[in-house]
Amino acid sequence: MSRATLSLDGPLYEYLLDVSTREPAVLKKLRAETASLPLANMQISPEQGQFMGLLVELICARRALEIGVFTGYSSLCVAIALPADGELIACDVDANWTAIAQRYWREAGVASKIDLRLAPALDTLDGLLESGNAGSFDFVFIDADKESYDVYYERALRLMRVGGLIAIDNVLWHGTVADSNHNDSETQAIRALNEKLHGDERVSLSLVPIGDGLTLARKR
């Protein structure tokens, strides 16, 4: 037993990957291609992707929403876990990064499950609400511009069914949220949302120290 979360050094992290991850070849291929890109650190880790897929399965999700796609690794993890008639609405503004994503979605045979919306995410979310989609989503993953996290969270909460799950990435923000010397706008936005969620009685809450920190908020 341990009174605190175990720190993973290099060998232990590699052991974790070796014994726990079941990463399909198409996901490994996408991760390798993304690793060569200038913004490679924007991609989630394989163990986080697998964890999210498991969450999708556990809550029997059929409708999912992603805010922030990049090259599509997280989208692919979610789409693979969705049932054959499942739907993932994926929000992003960058046609170049998402072109890579679409290529791998097709290769994995899940492109028909994914509806890519190339527009500001807030426009897409408001459009979904205006068209009667409140309370209809099972799973939401938020991983986009940090200053807008709170706005995305509030929209996601309205779109989410009772019992649905919101997953928010980067909530530990490389450790800077706990360092008073870091007060840039992104760090401050994440700190503020973390504090808000801690007292938000609309959800059940757990911050999981996986990747760069993943908050799970279940709508009550």
Side-chain angles (χ1 to χ4, degrees):
M1 296 179 66
S2 175
R3 295 178 60 191
T5 299
L6 190 66
S7 178
L8 301 181
D9 59 16
L12 186 56
Y13 178 64
E14 290 302 320
Y15 176 80
L16 179 150
L17 294 180
D18 288 344
V19 301
S20 72
T21 54
R22 299 175 177 178
E23 190 178 33
V26 66
L27 279 169
K28 287 183 180 179
K29 185 177 173 184
L30 171 55
R31 190 157 56 90
E33 180 172 339
T34 304
S36 67
L37 300 174
L39 298 176
N41 64 329
M42 288 174 56
Q43 186 174 74
I44 66 169
S45 63
E47 72 275 15
Q48 180 176 333
Q50 181 169 292
F51 178 59
M52 287 167 50
L54 178 60
L55 293 173
V56 168
E57 292 182 6
L58 285 171
I59 65 171
C60 300
R62 195 190 70 79
R63 294 196 82 199
L65 178 65
E66 180 175 65
I67 304 167
V69 174
F70 190 39
T71 59
Y73 189 92
S74 54
S75 312
L76 191 49
C77 291
V78 170
I80 289 171
L82 288 171
D85 64 346
E87 176 190 31
L88 170 63
I89 295 178
C91 307
D92 208 288
V93 294
D94 195 305
N96 293 321
W97 295 135
T98 55
I100 298 172
Q102 290 176 293
R103 175 157 45 88
Y104 282 93
W105 297 342
R106 289 191 295 270
E107 183 175 334
V110 298
S112 62
K113 296 182 186 179
I114 304 174
D115 179 3
L116 177 63
R117 307 281 181 95
L118 281 176
L122 190 56
D123 291 350
T124 299
L125 300 177
D126 285 342
L128 288 168
L129 287 167
E130 290 166 6
S131 58
N133 285 278
S136 69
F137 284 86
D138 306 297
F139 181 82
V140 177
F141 180 49
I142 301 174
D143 185 16
D145 52 302
K146 311 313 172 191
E147 293 94 334
S148 299
Y149 262 26
D150 188 36
V151 177
Y152 296 150
Y153 169 70
E154 288 296 333
R155 296 301 196 281
L157 201 58
R158 292 171 61 190
L159 287 162
M160 182 69 53
R161 66 165 170 86
V162 173
L165 189 65
I166 301 172
I168 308 170
D169 201 27
N170 301 118
V171 291
L172 294 179
W173 204 225
H174 317 297
T176 60
V177 288
D179 186 345
S180 61
N181 293 316
H182 285 81
N183 290 294
D184 58 276
S185 60
E186 292 183 318
T187 302
Q188 290 189 59
I190 295 171
R191 275 195 200 118
L193 180 61
N194 288 341
E195 291 169 7
K196 171 180 172 174
L197 287 168
H198 184 242
D200 192 346
E201 295 298 329
R202 297 172 297 175
V203 298
S204 301
L205 185 71
S206 181
L207 195 166
V208 182
I210 191 171
D212 194 26
L214 184 71
T215 285
L216 304 178
R218 180 183 181 271
K219 183 175 178 178
R220 289 175 169 169

